[in-house]
Amino acid sequence: MEVNEQARCRELAKSSSFYRTVYSEVEEVGWEHLVRLGGDLTFLSFRVLDKKGRVHIMEIQLDKAYPRVPPMVSADVPYIFNLKWSMNSRLKNLVQQFQEHLKKLQGFWSTLDEIDRSLWVVDSKQASLAMSCRQIHVGNDCLIMLCININDPRSLPECRFMGSGTIVNSLRKTWKRNGNRWMSNKPFTENIECLLKTQLPRPPDKEENNLLVECGICYAQYLPIGDELVPKSGSGTDYTCENNNCSKAFHSMCLVDWLRSITTTRQSFNVLFGNCPYCSEPVAVKTNTTKN
């Protein structure tokens, strides 16, 4: 996509100052970070990684009077930063402001990550980076909803109890009675259990051996069966992105074919070096995984 979009944008840049401006400013940010570009260049999105390797997509809407009219920004974050803009501002300044905003949210997301790792969270895999609440199993068909303070994530969270009246009422009274025992420097899970005077259920064991993982390129669990694919015929995914916040699985054969289609891929002996199709983190895969 990167090469095609660059060529299309270059042609448009010849026709108006707006197109020329957008083309030059996307080039400053880097075409490798571009995810999507609208037909008239008024909409675009960039992929931005935070310091923990989380992938964020920043969507930008441009007015035809840009840069006189500031861009509009949206992203999967709890709130959008206050944009600082002038006639001399450029898209790279917008990306830099977004990166600074992500730095401020690291403590918030780290707290949610701790909850997801250590407690039995309802639908933790589907949680948006913009969400500040988690529903947690506490046993006996009861749940608690914890809402984390975005600006002070280690402080006492808001808490709502859901479930059987008798059990919930007891938990609610215990929470209120022990609220002053919350200590911001203690692990989050330890604080919650101290206030409730009970040990909470841990995440259920993941039966990873029973999971069938789809390839992020061909979207199939197994390669087709056929002589031309020997010795990989019928095999499952065998390569995983090392970025823990991505961990996308691939057939190494599919990944080799994809990397060979990208102009920025480098090769040393029988190893291809490029970037993950999903998070853009570096990947390296042997070429002898392809068919003979």
Side-chain angles (χ1 to χ4, degrees):
M1 186 195 81
E2 179 184 322
V3 176
N4 293 336
E5 292 290 13
Q6 189 171 358
R8 180 170 68 86
C9 197
R10 188 186 301 114
E11 286 302 311
L12 287 172
K14 299 175 182 178
S15 62
S16 79
S17 59
F18 171 75
Y19 293 143
R20 284 193 295 273
T21 297
V22 174
Y23 175 80
S24 64
E25 294 188 17
V26 169
E27 207 160 50
E28 286 180 341
V29 175
W31 291 96
E32 68 274 15
H33 302 298
L34 184 69
V35 175
R36 185 180 166 199
L37 189 63
D40 60 357
L41 308 194
T42 58
F43 174 84
L44 61 159
S45 59
F46 289 110
R47 181 189 296 104
V48 181
L49 292 181
D50 65 24
K51 68 177 185 178
K52 292 290 187 180
R54 302 182 188 90
V55 181
H56 304 269
I57 304 299
M58 179 177 64
E59 299 182 339
I60 304 170
Q61 191 74 43
L62 301 178
D63 189 275
K64 285 289 188 179
Y66 174 87
R68 292 196 307 274
V69 176
M72 295 178 61
V73 181
S74 61
D76 192 18
V77 292
Y79 65 95
I80 292 295
F81 56 95
N82 293 321
L83 177 62
K84 297 177 182 177
W85 194 258
S86 72
M87 275 292 294
N88 296 322
S89 297
R90 302 174 70 85
L91 288 177
K92 67 177 182 180
N93 305 124
L94 187 58
V95 173
Q96 289 167 355
Q97 290 182 50
F98 184 59
Q99 289 171 329
E100 288 300 315
H101 185 55
L102 295 180
K103 288 180 183 178
K104 296 176 182 177
L105 292 169
Q106 292 306 298
F108 166 70
W109 284 320
S110 293
T111 298
L112 290 177
D113 286 345
E114 180 184 341
I115 295 172
D116 292 339
R117 283 194 309 269
S118 56
L119 298 175
W120 188 353
V121 178
V122 178
D123 295 331
S124 62
K125 292 295 184 183
Q126 300 176 17
S128 160
L129 289 171
M131 292 175 58
S132 61
C133 297
R134 291 291 190 270
Q135 286 189 37
I136 297 169
H137 290 278
V138 294
N140 299 307
D141 295 323
C142 295
L143 300 171
I144 57 175
M145 178 177 286
L146 298 174
C147 295
I148 309 304
N149 185 323
I150 298 168
N151 297 313
D152 188 10
R154 307 303 297 185
S155 63
L156 177 68
E158 293 184 19
C159 186
R160 290 175 53 196
F161 296 86
M162 297 169 282
S164 171
T166 303
I167 298 173
V168 162
N169 287 337
S170 175
L171 289 171
R172 188 180 293 114
K173 290 177 182 177
T174 304
W175 178 272
K176 290 181 178 179
R177 184 169 61 248
N178 297 326
N180 60 352
R181 296 186 180 183
W182 186 272
M183 299 177 66
S184 298
N185 61 341
K186 289 175 64 175
F188 201 90
T189 302
E190 185 179 333
N191 263 323
I192 295 290
E193 293 179 334
C194 179
L195 263 64
L196 293 175
K197 293 292 184 181
T198 186
Q199 182 173 356
L200 299 177
R202 296 304 186 250
D205 292 335
K206 298 177 182 177
E207 299 179 5
E208 295 182 357
N209 293 333
N210 294 329
L211 288 179
L212 298 176
V213 183
E214 290 183 349
C215 171
I217 294 173
C218 72
Y219 303 112
Q221 295 165 357
Y222 300 104
L223 287 170
I225 297 176
D227 293 340
E228 70 276 12
L229 299 179
V230 173
K232 292 290 182 177
S233 177
S235 63
T237 54
D238 56 356
Y239 186 97
T240 304
C241 176
E242 293 182 358
N243 176 3
N244 291 332
N245 290 288
C246 175
S247 298
K248 198 68 179 178
F250 306 98
H251 299 118
S252 53
M253 183 171 150
C254 294
L255 187 57
V256 165
D257 289 344
W258 186 85
L259 287 172
R260 281 178 167 161
S261 72
I262 305 300
T263 57
T264 54
T265 298
R266 306 178 311 281
Q267 182 166 354
S268 177
F269 297 100
N270 67 333
V271 179
L272 291 178
F273 297 90
N275 301 95
C276 172
Y278 284 80
C279 72
S280 292
E281 283 291 279
V283 295
V285 61
K286 292 183 177 180
T287 58
N288 58 10
T289 57
T290 55
K291 60 187 179 183
N292 296 325

